[in-house]
Amino acid sequence: VQVGADLVVAVFTAPAAVADGVPVTVTDTTKNQGGGSVEASTTGFYLSTDTLLDASDVPLGSRPIPVLAAGASNTGSVTLTLPAGTAPGTYYLLARADAANAVSETVETNNTALRTVQVGPDLIVGSLVAPGSVGAGTSFIVTDTTKNQGGSPADATTTSFYLSTNTVLDAADVPLGSRAVPALAAGGSSTGSVTLILPAGTGPGTHYLFARADAANAVGETVETNNATFRAVQVGPDLIVASLVAPGGVGAGAPFTVTDTTTNQGGTTADASTTSFYLSANSVLEAGDLLLGSRAVPALAAGGSSTGSVSLTLPAGTPVGSYFLLVRADATDAVGESLETNNVISRIVQVGAELVVSVFTAPAAVGAGVPFSVTDTTKNQGGGSADASNTAFYLSTNTGLDAGDVLVGSRAVPALAAGGSSTGSVLLALPAGTPPGNYYLLARADATDAVHETVEANNVALRAVQVGPDLGVTTLSTPSTVATGVSFTVTDTIRNQGGGLAAASTTSFYLSANTVLDPGDLLLGSRAVPALDAGLSDSGSVTLTVPAGTPPGTYYLFARADSGDAVVESLESNNLALRLIQVTTGN
């Protein structure tokens, strides 16, 4: 625990850049963080070349601090002026609580706070705009903003521009030009443009354009190492394949057409060149890749393009599979370019047949052992012809085709040319003992794997199907108001919306105080429903009576199909219908 006073400079704010001889305002909060009150004191301010307060530091001013109770603070501002001859550079403003050592404190070593301050001007190139590519021997315009981010005015200077082969400005770099920058007040800027010319013999490649503020070192600055900035610039032509249009699937031995646009995105005219096309097993052009063809590209001015098409043919024995079509601008390296690593573009191309079930229609509900029709379209979406195959149909309990699924039929698909389709229907029947429930019908193209395809994992299409009967209340009519002890009539329609025969069942009617049918609800009556084939309905009426002692109010009348659960259904959760009724007291 601290016994007695302890003064610190808890907060100290000062400008980051100042000028010698120019008044500046600083603000501090001097705090007594000790446990006892402290008598009046003085907080002093000093200019230092390092972070330690010592006898060599220059006192700039002070402010009085009143008596401070334990934990109390005092905030104030004071105007300071650096000596007029202070040399430009990086300094420290120090604020010291109890500068005269008038107060006896528990800790005497924590009285000082500091802020870094730049004294003098500081010139930088705040922005530099230059073209991304230029040509040797050609002129181009650059624009810069030279700024004085220091605290003192800067005399007139020169901003100069250089061409370099790397990101370090040194004596070997080529001066290209300069512009005069007027005297700048603290915080002032000068923006200007200048036309430069690259030397005619500059070789193609990536170069760096430097702009250096105060290139002649005419101004003494606070920081001398931040005067230069640069931009990468490409010198010479630069050929790329800007676009490529090619089929996604092709056939071995069959011709196909590709179209490309070869562009010179460099700053100099590119001589005539050749764009070539290759078949590769990967996306990298290498010596083993197969040359399929080429096209001549004329000389292209800077920014110019050439679009052309060429007919290519894969060798007849090319195995089925996924390949890459690679296109390379300047395939013979006839053009010296600013960038030689961006000439290639690629596209994935499938070689061979690829069978899919593109359309599959089936009924939403079917019955075990009852014939039904499905229709599919099997398509060869590959680039090569497909031999004759079979499309087969399976019953599954999930969406994946596996060994446990039941084959329920198939149809023959003839040989299909690239892009060709075959549509057909087939009559299927599920095994007679198939339990009611939710299933999936799967259709698989090339079920016997007779055709070697580019993609073997996309042959299956599916449709959800309900197997067995499914009883539901499709209509329910009741009076809106009934009286206790007085008979009333309700009419309902029960429909078998499933795919199999539903045995005879019972529809029951309940009175409930809420919208959930539960064991506490009151059974009012029932009616018998005969056996119903798939899609058939039965309508009937029944007379019901709400017991005489029932409290009046709002109730719900439920009708529940198959209330005795005599029928095993494909869906057991959709047997209810309800109506809102008002119950009054009978006479």
Side-chain angles (χ1 to χ4, degrees), residues 17-24 47 60 80-89 91 117-121 150-154 186 220 222:
V18 298
D20 59 311
V22 178
V24 296
L47 183 68
L60 301 176
L80 309 175
T81 303
L82 267 61
T86 303
Y91 293 80
V117 62
Q118 303 291 341
V119 177
S152 300
T222 58

PDB file of all heavy atoms in Angstrom, residues 17-24 47 60 80-89 91 117-121 150-154 186 220 222:
ATOM      1  N   ALA A  17       4.015  17.004 -35.187  1.00  0.00           N
ATOM      2  CA  ALA A  17       5.027  17.752 -35.929  1.00  0.00           C
ATOM      3  C   ALA A  17       4.925  19.224 -35.538  1.00  0.00           C
ATOM      4  O   ALA A  17       3.809  19.764 -35.457  1.00  0.00           O
ATOM      5  CB  ALA A  17       4.838  17.581 -37.431  1.00  0.00           C
ATOM      6  N   VAL A  18       6.055  19.865 -35.310  1.00  0.00           N
ATOM      7  CA  VAL A  18       6.072  21.269 -34.906  1.00  0.00           C
ATOM      8  C   VAL A  18       7.202  21.977 -35.642  1.00  0.00           C
ATOM      9  O   VAL A  18       8.084  21.350 -36.250  1.00  0.00           O
ATOM     10  CB  VAL A  18       6.261  21.424 -33.380  1.00  0.00           C
ATOM     11  CG1 VAL A  18       5.111  20.772 -32.632  1.00  0.00           C
ATOM     12  CG2 VAL A  18       7.594  20.841 -32.941  1.00  0.00           C
ATOM     13  N   ALA A  19       7.177  23.325 -35.544  1.00  0.00           N
ATOM     14  CA  ALA A  19       8.218  24.135 -36.173  1.00  0.00           C
ATOM     15  C   ALA A  19       8.971  24.910 -35.100  1.00  0.00           C
ATOM     16  O   ALA A  19       8.375  25.332 -34.092  1.00  0.00           O
ATOM     17  CB  ALA A  19       7.601  25.087 -37.184  1.00  0.00           C
ATOM     18  N   ASP A  20      10.250  25.104 -35.323  1.00  0.00           N
ATOM     19  CA  ASP A  20      11.022  25.905 -34.368  1.00  0.00           C
ATOM     20  C   ASP A  20      10.531  27.354 -34.430  1.00  0.00           C
ATOM     21  O   ASP A  20      10.215  27.885 -35.503  1.00  0.00           O
ATOM     22  CB  ASP A  20      12.514  25.823 -34.671  1.00  0.00           C
ATOM     23  CG  ASP A  20      12.855  26.309 -36.075  1.00  0.00           C
ATOM     24  OD1 ASP A  20      12.190  25.865 -37.035  1.00  0.00           O
ATOM     25  OD2 ASP A  20      13.781  27.136 -36.205  1.00  0.00           O
ATOM     26  N   GLY A  21      10.429  27.973 -33.261  1.00  0.00           N
ATOM     27  CA  GLY A  21      10.002  29.356 -33.185  1.00  0.00           C
ATOM     28  C   GLY A  21       8.511  29.580 -33.341  1.00  0.00           C
ATOM     29  O   GLY A  21       8.060  30.723 -33.304  1.00  0.00           O
ATOM     30  N   VAL A  22       7.723  28.520 -33.521  1.00  0.00           N
ATOM     31  CA  VAL A  22       6.270  28.652 -33.720  1.00  0.00           C
ATOM     32  C   VAL A  22       5.557  28.088 -32.486  1.00  0.00           C
ATOM     33  O   VAL A  22       5.802  26.940 -32.102  1.00  0.00           O
ATOM     34  CB  VAL A  22       5.809  27.906 -34.986  1.00  0.00           C
ATOM     35  CG1 VAL A  22       4.299  28.024 -35.145  1.00  0.00           C
ATOM     36  CG2 VAL A  22       6.534  28.450 -36.212  1.00  0.00           C
ATOM     37  N   PRO A  23       4.670  28.872 -31.833  1.00  0.00           N
ATOM     38  CA  PRO A  23       3.987  28.376 -30.627  1.00  0.00           C
ATOM     39  C   PRO A  23       3.106  27.161 -30.923  1.00  0.00           C
ATOM     40  O   PRO A  23       2.469  27.071 -31.974  1.00  0.00           O
ATOM     41  CB  PRO A  23       3.137  29.573 -30.179  1.00  0.00           C
ATOM     42  CG  PRO A  23       3.734  30.763 -30.850  1.00  0.00           C
ATOM     43  CD  PRO A  23       4.301  30.269 -32.147  1.00  0.00           C
ATOM     44  N   VAL A  24       3.095  26.205 -29.980  1.00  0.00           N
ATOM     45  CA  VAL A  24       2.216  25.029 -30.063  1.00  0.00           C
ATOM     46  C   VAL A  24       1.571  24.832 -28.691  1.00  0.00           C
ATOM     47  O   VAL A  24       2.105  25.258 -27.668  1.00  0.00           O
ATOM     48  CB  VAL A  24       2.983  23.755 -30.468  1.00  0.00           C
ATOM     49  CG1 VAL A  24       3.545  23.883 -31.865  1.00  0.00           C
ATOM     50  CG2 VAL A  24       4.086  23.435 -29.474  1.00  0.00           C
ATOM     51  N   LEU A  47      12.208  19.864 -24.090  1.00  0.00           N
ATOM     52  CA  LEU A  47      12.564  19.293 -25.395  1.00  0.00           C
ATOM     53  C   LEU A  47      13.838  18.483 -25.216  1.00  0.00           C
ATOM     54  O   LEU A  47      14.835  18.978 -24.688  1.00  0.00           O
ATOM     55  CB  LEU A  47      12.779  20.393 -26.432  1.00  0.00           C
ATOM     56  CG  LEU A  47      13.095  19.911 -27.852  1.00  0.00           C
ATOM     57  CD1 LEU A  47      11.878  19.232 -28.467  1.00  0.00           C
ATOM     58  CD2 LEU A  47      13.571  21.067 -28.738  1.00  0.00           C
ATOM     59  N   LEU A  60      10.838  24.282 -21.802  1.00  0.00           N
ATOM     60  CA  LEU A  60      10.000  25.056 -22.709  1.00  0.00           C
ATOM     61  C   LEU A  60       8.908  25.833 -21.977  1.00  0.00           C
ATOM     62  O   LEU A  60       8.363  26.798 -22.535  1.00  0.00           O
ATOM     63  CB  LEU A  60       9.344  24.115 -23.730  1.00  0.00           C
ATOM     64  CG  LEU A  60      10.296  23.305 -24.607  1.00  0.00           C
ATOM     65  CD1 LEU A  60       9.492  22.360 -25.489  1.00  0.00           C
ATOM     66  CD2 LEU A  60      11.171  24.219 -25.453  1.00  0.00           C
ATOM     67  N   LEU A  80       3.679  26.398 -25.804  1.00  0.00           N
ATOM     68  CA  LEU A  80       5.126  26.270 -25.773  1.00  0.00           C
ATOM     69  C   LEU A  80       5.706  26.733 -27.102  1.00  0.00           C
ATOM     70  O   LEU A  80       5.032  26.683 -28.137  1.00  0.00           O
ATOM     71  CB  LEU A  80       5.540  24.816 -25.529  1.00  0.00           C
ATOM     72  CG  LEU A  80       4.890  24.093 -24.340  1.00  0.00           C
ATOM     73  CD1 LEU A  80       5.328  22.635 -24.325  1.00  0.00           C
ATOM     74  CD2 LEU A  80       5.258  24.789 -23.035  1.00  0.00           C
ATOM     75  N   THR A  81       6.969  27.154 -27.100  1.00  0.00           N
ATOM     76  CA  THR A  81       7.658  27.551 -28.323  1.00  0.00           C
ATOM     77  C   THR A  81       9.047  26.945 -28.325  1.00  0.00           C
ATOM     78  O   THR A  81       9.833  27.148 -27.389  1.00  0.00           O
ATOM     79  CB  THR A  81       7.757  29.075 -28.441  1.00  0.00           C
ATOM     80  OG1 THR A  81       6.450  29.638 -28.397  1.00  0.00           O
ATOM     81  CG2 THR A  81       8.424  29.468 -29.758  1.00  0.00           C
ATOM     82  N   LEU A  82       9.344  26.175 -29.398  1.00  0.00           N
ATOM     83  CA  LEU A  82      10.683  25.607 -29.534  1.00  0.00           C
ATOM     84  C   LEU A  82      11.677  26.706 -29.906  1.00  0.00           C
ATOM     85  O   LEU A  82      11.339  27.638 -30.654  1.00  0.00           O
ATOM     86  CB  LEU A  82      10.700  24.526 -30.610  1.00  0.00           C
ATOM     87  CG  LEU A  82      10.469  23.089 -30.144  1.00  0.00           C
ATOM     88  CD1 LEU A  82       9.103  22.949 -29.505  1.00  0.00           C
ATOM     89  CD2 LEU A  82      10.612  22.125 -31.320  1.00  0.00           C
ATOM     90  N   PRO A  83      12.895  26.632 -29.414  1.00  0.00           N
ATOM     91  CA  PRO A  83      13.909  27.635 -29.793  1.00  0.00           C
ATOM     92  C   PRO A  83      14.034  27.744 -31.310  1.00  0.00           C
ATOM     93  O   PRO A  83      13.972  26.752 -32.034  1.00  0.00           O
ATOM     94  CB  PRO A  83      15.195  27.079 -29.168  1.00  0.00           C
ATOM     95  CG  PRO A  83      14.716  26.246 -28.013  1.00  0.00           C
ATOM     96  CD  PRO A  83      13.424  25.640 -28.456  1.00  0.00           C
ATOM     97  N   ALA A  84      14.229  28.998 -31.766  1.00  0.00           N
ATOM     98  CA  ALA A  84      14.210  29.268 -33.209  1.00  0.00           C
ATOM     99  C   ALA A  84      15.277  28.504 -33.978  1.00  0.00           C
ATOM    100  O   ALA A  84      15.082  28.170 -35.138  1.00  0.00           O
ATOM    101  CB  ALA A  84      14.355  30.768 -33.451  1.00  0.00           C
ATOM    102  N   GLY A  85      16.370  28.179 -33.399  1.00  0.00           N
ATOM    103  CA  GLY A  85      17.432  27.512 -34.148  1.00  0.00           C
ATOM    104  C   GLY A  85      17.403  26.003 -34.071  1.00  0.00           C
ATOM    105  O   GLY A  85      18.377  25.362 -34.480  1.00  0.00           O
ATOM    106  N   THR A  86      16.325  25.433 -33.555  1.00  0.00           N
ATOM    107  CA  THR A  86      16.278  23.974 -33.385  1.00  0.00           C
ATOM    108  C   THR A  86      16.426  23.280 -34.738  1.00  0.00           C
ATOM    109  O   THR A  86      15.659  23.548 -35.673  1.00  0.00           O
ATOM    110  CB  THR A  86      14.960  23.546 -32.724  1.00  0.00           C
ATOM    111  OG1 THR A  86      14.832  24.236 -31.468  1.00  0.00           O
ATOM    112  CG2 THR A  86      14.935  22.051 -32.493  1.00  0.00           C
ATOM    113  N   ALA A  87      17.398  22.410 -34.855  1.00  0.00           N
ATOM    114  CA  ALA A  87      17.648  21.713 -36.123  1.00  0.00           C
ATOM    115  C   ALA A  87      16.524  20.729 -36.427  1.00  0.00           C
ATOM    116  O   ALA A  87      15.943  20.128 -35.512  1.00  0.00           O
ATOM    117  CB  ALA A  87      18.987  20.982 -36.043  1.00  0.00           C
ATOM    118  N   PRO A  88      16.201  20.518 -37.710  1.00  0.00           N
ATOM    119  CA  PRO A  88      15.187  19.514 -38.050  1.00  0.00           C
ATOM    120  C   PRO A  88      15.598  18.135 -37.545  1.00  0.00           C
ATOM    121  O   PRO A  88      16.781  17.804 -37.505  1.00  0.00           O
ATOM    122  CB  PRO A  88      15.154  19.545 -39.584  1.00  0.00           C
ATOM    123  CG  PRO A  88      15.706  20.893 -39.950  1.00  0.00           C
ATOM    124  CD  PRO A  88      16.735  21.210 -38.899  1.00  0.00           C
ATOM    125  N   GLY A  89      14.594  17.329 -37.162  1.00  0.00           N
ATOM    126  CA  GLY A  89      14.862  15.968 -36.712  1.00  0.00           C
ATOM    127  C   GLY A  89      13.774  15.443 -35.811  1.00  0.00           C
ATOM    128  O   GLY A  89      12.727  16.075 -35.631  1.00  0.00           O
ATOM    129  N   TYR A  91      12.502  14.494 -32.121  1.00  0.00           N
ATOM    130  CA  TYR A  91      12.743  14.868 -30.733  1.00  0.00           C
ATOM    131  C   TYR A  91      11.663  14.252 -29.852  1.00  0.00           C
ATOM    132  O   TYR A  91      10.749  13.567 -30.337  1.00  0.00           O
ATOM    133  CB  TYR A  91      12.724  16.394 -30.569  1.00  0.00           C
ATOM    134  CG  TYR A  91      13.861  17.117 -31.268  1.00  0.00           C
ATOM    135  CD1 TYR A  91      13.810  17.379 -32.635  1.00  0.00           C
ATOM    136  CD2 TYR A  91      14.976  17.552 -30.548  1.00  0.00           C
ATOM    137  CE1 TYR A  91      14.852  18.052 -33.278  1.00  0.00           C
ATOM    138  CE2 TYR A  91      16.019  18.233 -31.187  1.00  0.00           C
ATOM    139  CZ  TYR A  91      15.947  18.465 -32.547  1.00  0.00           C
ATOM    140  OH  TYR A  91      16.967  19.118 -33.165  1.00  0.00           O
ATOM    141  N   VAL A 117       8.013  13.938 -31.341  1.00  0.00           N
ATOM    142  CA  VAL A 117       7.627  15.091 -32.145  1.00  0.00           C
ATOM    143  C   VAL A 117       8.673  15.299 -33.236  1.00  0.00           C
ATOM    144  O   VAL A 117       9.882  15.161 -32.990  1.00  0.00           O
ATOM    145  CB  VAL A 117       7.476  16.353 -31.255  1.00  0.00           C
ATOM    146  CG1 VAL A 117       8.783  16.717 -30.582  1.00  0.00           C
ATOM    147  CG2 VAL A 117       6.945  17.529 -32.049  1.00  0.00           C
ATOM    148  N   GLN A 118       8.181  15.574 -34.436  1.00  0.00           N
ATOM    149  CA  GLN A 118       9.063  15.865 -35.559  1.00  0.00           C
ATOM    150  C   GLN A 118       9.216  17.383 -35.670  1.00  0.00           C
ATOM    151  O   GLN A 118       8.229  18.116 -35.706  1.00  0.00           O
ATOM    152  CB  GLN A 118       8.494  15.301 -36.877  1.00  0.00           C
ATOM    153  CG  GLN A 118       8.234  13.802 -36.866  1.00  0.00           C
ATOM    154  CD  GLN A 118       9.492  12.974 -36.827  1.00  0.00           C
ATOM    155  OE1 GLN A 118      10.571  13.461 -37.151  1.00  0.00           O
ATOM    156  NE2 GLN A 118       9.377  11.714 -36.419  1.00  0.00           N
ATOM    157  N   VAL A 119      10.455  17.828 -35.741  1.00  0.00           N
ATOM    158  CA  VAL A 119      10.738  19.258 -35.837  1.00  0.00           C
ATOM    159  C   VAL A 119      11.284  19.537 -37.241  1.00  0.00           C
ATOM    160  O   VAL A 119      12.269  18.926 -37.664  1.00  0.00           O
ATOM    161  CB  VAL A 119      11.750  19.713 -34.770  1.00  0.00           C
ATOM    162  CG1 VAL A 119      12.079  21.197 -34.940  1.00  0.00           C
ATOM    163  CG2 VAL A 119      11.206  19.431 -33.381  1.00  0.00           C
ATOM    164  N   GLY A 120      10.612  20.452 -37.966  1.00  0.00           N
ATOM    165  CA  GLY A 120      11.069  20.813 -39.295  1.00  0.00           C
ATOM    166  C   GLY A 120      10.173  20.255 -40.382  1.00  0.00           C
ATOM    167  O   GLY A 120       9.189  19.546 -40.120  1.00  0.00           O
ATOM    168  N   PRO A 121      10.480  20.501 -41.647  1.00  0.00           N
ATOM    169  CA  PRO A 121       9.688  19.984 -42.768  1.00  0.00           C
ATOM    170  C   PRO A 121       9.957  18.495 -42.979  1.00  0.00           C
ATOM    171  O   PRO A 121      10.955  17.950 -42.499  1.00  0.00           O
ATOM    172  CB  PRO A 121      10.175  20.807 -43.962  1.00  0.00           C
ATOM    173  CG  PRO A 121      11.581  21.180 -43.614  1.00  0.00           C
ATOM    174  CD  PRO A 121      11.608  21.345 -42.114  1.00  0.00           C
ATOM    175  N   GLY A 150       5.608  17.627 -42.514  1.00  0.00           N
ATOM    176  CA  GLY A 150       6.279  18.075 -41.308  1.00  0.00           C
ATOM    177  C   GLY A 150       5.582  19.266 -40.676  1.00  0.00           C
ATOM    178  O   GLY A 150       4.511  19.716 -41.116  1.00  0.00           O
ATOM    179  N   GLY A 151       6.216  19.827 -39.627  1.00  0.00           N
ATOM    180  CA  GLY A 151       5.620  20.928 -38.884  1.00  0.00           C
ATOM    181  C   GLY A 151       6.167  22.282 -39.249  1.00  0.00           C
ATOM    182  O   GLY A 151       5.696  23.305 -38.716  1.00  0.00           O
ATOM    183  N   SER A 152       7.154  22.343 -40.163  1.00  0.00           N
ATOM    184  CA  SER A 152       7.752  23.621 -40.582  1.00  0.00           C
ATOM    185  C   SER A 152       7.612  23.771 -42.087  1.00  0.00           C
ATOM    186  O   SER A 152       7.527  22.774 -42.815  1.00  0.00           O
ATOM    187  CB  SER A 152       9.233  23.671 -40.215  1.00  0.00           C
ATOM    188  OG  SER A 152       9.421  23.531 -38.828  1.00  0.00           O
ATOM    189  N   PRO A 153       7.657  25.018 -42.588  1.00  0.00           N
ATOM    190  CA  PRO A 153       7.628  25.224 -44.040  1.00  0.00           C
ATOM    191  C   PRO A 153       8.855  24.598 -44.702  1.00  0.00           C
ATOM    192  O   PRO A 153       9.930  24.497 -44.094  1.00  0.00           O
ATOM    193  CB  PRO A 153       7.631  26.749 -44.188  1.00  0.00           C
ATOM    194  CG  PRO A 153       7.189  27.273 -42.861  1.00  0.00           C
ATOM    195  CD  PRO A 153       7.672  26.293 -41.841  1.00  0.00           C
ATOM    196  N   ALA A 154       8.656  24.175 -45.968  1.00  0.00           N
ATOM    197  CA  ALA A 154       9.760  23.627 -46.759  1.00  0.00           C
ATOM    198  C   ALA A 154      10.038  24.578 -47.913  1.00  0.00           C
ATOM    199  O   ALA A 154       9.120  25.035 -48.596  1.00  0.00           O
ATOM    200  CB  ALA A 154       9.407  22.241 -47.294  1.00  0.00           C
ATOM    201  N   ALA A 186       3.673  23.942 -43.772  1.00  0.00           N
ATOM    202  CA  ALA A 186       3.435  22.691 -43.045  1.00  0.00           C
ATOM    203  C   ALA A 186       2.071  22.124 -43.435  1.00  0.00           C
ATOM    204  O   ALA A 186       1.051  22.818 -43.396  1.00  0.00           O
ATOM    205  CB  ALA A 186       3.489  22.947 -41.545  1.00  0.00           C
ATOM    206  N   GLY A 220      16.667  20.499 -45.392  1.00  0.00           N
ATOM    207  CA  GLY A 220      16.937  19.672 -44.220  1.00  0.00           C
ATOM    208  C   GLY A 220      15.621  19.208 -43.624  1.00  0.00           C
ATOM    209  O   GLY A 220      14.783  20.026 -43.234  1.00  0.00           O
ATOM    210  N   THR A 222      13.066  16.386 -41.221  1.00  0.00           N
ATOM    211  CA  THR A 222      13.019  15.592 -39.989  1.00  0.00           C
ATOM    212  C   THR A 222      13.322  14.130 -40.282  1.00  0.00           C
ATOM    213  O   THR A 222      13.937  13.439 -39.469  1.00  0.00           O
ATOM    214  CB  THR A 222      11.641  15.705 -39.331  1.00  0.00           C
ATOM    215  OG1 THR A 222      10.642  15.263 -40.257  1.00  0.00           O
ATOM    216  CG2 THR A 222      11.333  17.133 -38.949  1.00  0.00           C
TER     217      THR A 222
END
